[in-house]
Amino acid sequence: IDLQLRAGEVLGITGVDGNGQKELAEVLAGLRAADAGRMALAGRDITRASIRERVHTHRIGFVPEDRHATGLVLGQPVWKNFFLRNFYRRPQARRGVLDHRGMRREAERLARQYDCRLRGIEQPAGELSGGNQQKIILAREIEAGPRLLVVMQATKGLDIGAIAFVQHKLLEQRDAGVAVLYISTELEHVLEVADRVAVMYRGRIVGTLEQAQATPERIGLLMSGLAEAAP
């Protein structure tokens, strides 16, 4: 993979599922070690950075592919899920003591801001619709102020309203200067938000197209492995 992503840009990564997209996202997030090569963010080498360093020092946000398995703790209440990323840091904790009252108060605010439809913040996250679950994950990552936001399959299984909300939030982040890497097999959703589209095939990027060039026909050709570059 040879890839550049600019601040204030949404770079879409697409392709048939199973062509290396998940591995790419996990390497960037620190969940999988890179076998070789180098990754740099804002001029700083992050190839061997720990997950904690990526999250807090380098400000990498990550929305995982499976919100049930790796995005949320389904049996825990909504308010706790809002803070899985930063529960041990101020203002959520001071000298190792969690501020439950403050966390609940902030969770109420986030639920309103991100239009989460729920009975209350004590409701288990597993009882929410997929769209509301995704809003919790997005809120958690966006509110941390990321420099790079890696988003995988963000609209999979969501209804039209939730898809529009997610896309709007990603474009807001782009306009605020965040670099957004949007990985999805849902081509129509990639084309709606991406400034550039890169296609993965058998673990490699076989073509990168500007938005004006990124037609379904050209992308489909690259996804099938019939061309190494756009015609």
Side-chain angles (χ1 to χ4, degrees):
I1 295 292
D2 185 4
L3 187 65
Q4 288 188 334
L5 173 59
R6 297 182 288 264
E9 175 187 45
V10 177
L11 174 59
I13 302 282
T14 192
V16 177
D17 198 17
N19 276 275
Q21 301 97 316
K22 181 179 180 180
E23 289 79 3
L24 173 61
E26 290 181 349
V27 165
L28 290 171
L31 301 177
R32 180 188 298 260
D35 294 327
R38 178 177 179 270
M39 295 180 291
L41 178 59
R44 300 178 66 180
D45 192 319
I46 63 168
T47 311
R48 303 300 173 195
S50 67
I51 292 177
R52 183 168 292 193
E53 288 171 333
R54 293 180 197 225
V55 167
H56 298 299
T57 303
H58 303 292
R59 291 164 43 207
I60 298 176
F62 180 51
V63 177
E65 176 181 20
D66 190 336
R67 54 184 170 267
H68 289 171
T70 53
L72 299 166
V73 181
L74 298 178
Q76 291 296 313
V78 165
W79 69 269
K80 288 187 178 180
N81 277 277
F82 272 122
F83 302 108
L84 293 178
R85 191 181 199 275
N86 292 318
F87 68 90
Y88 55 89
R89 295 168 63 90
R90 295 173 69 95
Q92 282 76 47
R94 298 184 181 182
R95 297 181 180 178
V97 179
L98 295 176
D99 180 5
H100 287 177
R101 181 179 297 177
M103 292 166 74
R104 285 186 172 91
R105 186 167 54 245
E106 179 66 3
E108 294 273 13
R109 183 189 72 80
L110 291 173
R112 290 192 301 270
Q113 181 177 334
Y114 284 81
D115 194 27
C116 296
R117 310 296 176 86
L118 39 86
R119 294 197 307 270
I121 59 170
E122 299 293 341
Q123 185 177 1
E127 294 182 359
L128 303 182
S129 68
N132 287 303
Q133 290 174 346
Q134 195 73 311
K135 288 176 183 179
I136 293 173
I137 299 170
L138 271 178
R140 189 173 67 214
E141 301 303 313
I142 288 174
E143 292 298 309
R147 176 181 285 131
L148 166 64
L149 184 58
V150 180
V151 182
M152 190 164 186
Q153 303 286 29
T155 57
K156 188 174 182 179
L158 305 187
D159 61 33
I160 294 174
I163 290 170
F165 183 90
V166 169
Q167 292 177 333
H168 175 70
K169 284 298 181 183
L170 295 181
L171 292 175
E172 276 188 346
Q173 289 300 290
R174 178 201 66 185
D175 294 343
V178 177
V180 180
L181 188 68
Y182 182 39
I183 302 172
S184 178
T185 56
E186 298 178 304
L187 179 56
E188 68 275 19
H189 297 159
V190 173
L191 294 177
E192 286 171 353
V193 299
D195 299 298
R196 291 186 297 138
V197 178
V199 180
M200 289 192 71
Y201 178 73
R202 292 187 177 178
R204 296 185 300 123
I205 290 180
V206 294
T208 302
L209 303 171
E210 297 293 331
Q211 186 182 55
Q213 302 171 324
T215 64
E217 294 77 18
R218 298 178 89 170
I219 293 173
L221 185 64
L222 293 167
M223 289 170 65
S224 68
L226 296 179
E228 292 300 307

